[in-house]
Amino acid sequence: VARLDNMTEKKNAAGPQDKQRVTRLVAPGEDLGGLEGHELGHGVIAIDGRIRATKNGRMNVNGNTVSIEPRRTAYVPRPGDLVIGYVEGCTNNIWFVDIGAPFNAILPMSLGPSKADFGGTRSVIDIGEAILCRVQEVEETHSSVVTMKGMGLRKIRSGAVENIDPHLLGRLIGKQGKALRQLKEESECRVIVGDNGRLWIDGDFNAVVPPDPNHRLCQASRAHLDHRAQSLQASHADSCQQGVL
C-alpha cells in the first residue's frame, strides 16, 4: 500500500525521513500517512490529521510536499489558450469545434479564417477538418468561443495530429522549452503544441527518416528512439511494480 508510513526507514507514522523524491501509484480515498511535517499539494486533502488521495495517479513526495500526478486529465479551456480542434458540425454562420474540452467550442463566421456568404461555412472549413485556433472567451459553463483571427492560426492541411494528456505537456516541452527545441532540431519538423494536449507535427518525411538506413542521421534517430522507448518502458514497469507493492 502506498502510504507515507511505509516509506520511512523506521516504519513509523512520521512520513518519509529523507528528502528524496518518492513516487507511488495511489487510488482515490487512500490513506497516505500523517499530515504532521508535510504540506499538501495537488490531488490530496487532509482529514483528521491524515493525508488522503483525491485522484488516481502517482504520489510524489518532493521534500515536505505531498502531491499526486493524475494518470488522466481532461482539458479545461482558458482564454488565450492555443488549441488544435476538429470541426464536428456547423450551421449557416457557426462552426462547432471539438477541442477536447467537456463542451464543444463555437467558432463564429466573423472569427473564421476568411469571409464567406451566409450558409457557406462548409466551403471555408468542412466537417472533419482540423484547425489551429485560439480560445477567445470561456463562459461559466466552460463552453468557449475560439477564433482564427491571429498570426499563424489556420486550417491544418498537412502533417499529423497526435494527442497526449494535458498535464504531460510540461515534460514534452521541458525546462525553458529545451526538450521541444531538441525535438524540432533532430526531426527537422514543425511541431506546434496546443494547450489542449494536441500536437501538430509537419515536415518532410525524408528529413525525419533518411531514405538510406545506413545514413548516420537515420542511425542516430533510431538509437535515440530506442533509448527513449526503453526508458519509458522501464519507468512504466517500475511504476506498476511499486503500485502492486
Side-chain angles (χ1 to χ4, degrees), residues 1-67:
V1 179
R3 292 177 52 181
L4 298 180
D5 304 2
N6 296 337
M7 287 182 272
T8 65
E9 296 179 358
K10 298 180 181 181
K11 302 297 181 179
N12 54 25
Q17 300 296 321
D18 56 19
K19 302 299 182 182
Q20 296 180 353
R21 187 183 180 96
V22 182
T23 303
R24 293 290 188 275
L25 292 178
V26 299
E30 190 167 338
D31 185 348
L32 306 181
L35 177 61
E36 184 178 358
H38 295 91
E39 296 181 359
L40 300 180
H42 177 74
V44 294
I45 59 175
I47 300 178
D48 297 330
R50 306 291 293 178
I51 302 176
R52 291 190 178 273
T54 61
K55 295 182 179 295
N56 179 22
R58 292 185 177 186
M59 182 185 69
N60 295 324
V61 181
N62 192 4
N64 293 329
T65 303
V66 182
S67 62

Side-chain angles (χ1 to χ4, degrees), residues 164-232:
I164 66 173
D165 285 342
H167 73 282
L168 298 177
L169 287 177
R171 295 186 179 183
L172 174 68
I173 297 172
K175 188 175 182 180
Q176 299 180 346
K178 181 178 179 180
L180 182 59
R181 285 197 302 271
Q182 183 180 2
L183 178 63
K184 292 179 180 180
E185 292 172 358
E186 292 186 358
S187 65
E188 298 184 8
C189 287
R190 172 194 297 169
V191 182
I192 304 296
V193 179
D195 293 308
N196 58 340
R198 291 176 180 164
L199 290 75
W200 175 28
I201 306 173
D202 186 25
D204 184 4
F205 179 78
N206 290 330
V208 182
V209 181
D212 182 5
N214 296 320
H215 194 284
R216 62 181 181 83
L217 292 178
C218 184
Q219 294 175 347
S221 298
R222 286 180 175 176
H224 176 72
L225 291 174
D226 290 343
H227 175 71
R228 289 290 297 163
Q230 292 174 2
S231 298
L232 290 172

Side-chain angles (χ1 to χ4, degrees), residues 50-204:
R50 306 291 293 178
I51 302 176
R52 291 190 178 273
T54 61
K55 295 182 179 295
N56 179 22
R58 292 185 177 186
M59 182 185 69
N60 295 324
V61 181
N62 192 4
N64 293 329
T65 303
V66 182
S67 62
I68 294 178
E69 180 183 290
R71 297 186 62 190
R72 295 288 183 270
T73 54
Y75 169 64
V76 178
R78 295 173 299 179
D81 280 357
L82 180 68
V83 296
I84 297 173
Y86 297 100
V87 175
E88 288 196 338
C90 61
T91 63
N92 290 329
N93 60 350
I94 290 176
W95 291 276
F96 300 100
V97 184
D98 170 25
I99 59 173
F103 301 98
N104 282 349
I106 295 174
L107 174 62
M109 184 181 292
S110 60
L111 299 177
S114 61
K115 294 182 179 180
D117 296 332
F118 184 80
T121 50
R122 294 192 65 174
S123 64
V124 179
I125 308 176
D126 204 355
I127 295 174
E129 290 188 306
I131 61 174
L132 180 65
C133 54
R134 194 173 294 276
V135 178
Q136 178 162 295
E137 59 181 272
V138 181
E139 299 180 356
E140 294 180 356
T141 59
H142 294 297
S143 59
S144 55
V145 178
V146 296
T147 178
M148 294 183 69
K149 300 293 187 183
M151 184 178 297
L153 305 181
R154 67 189 75 181
K155 285 203 302 183
I156 297 178
R157 304 176 184 272
S158 60
V161 176
E162 299 292 340
N163 299 278
I164 66 173
D165 285 342
H167 73 282
L168 298 177
L169 287 177
R171 295 186 179 183
L172 174 68
I173 297 172
K175 188 175 182 180
Q176 299 180 346
K178 181 178 179 180
L180 182 59
R181 285 197 302 271
Q182 183 180 2
L183 178 63
K184 292 179 180 180
E185 292 172 358
E186 292 186 358
S187 65
E188 298 184 8
C189 287
R190 172 194 297 169
V191 182
I192 304 296
V193 179
D195 293 308
N196 58 340
R198 291 176 180 164
L199 290 75
W200 175 28
I201 306 173
D202 186 25
D204 184 4

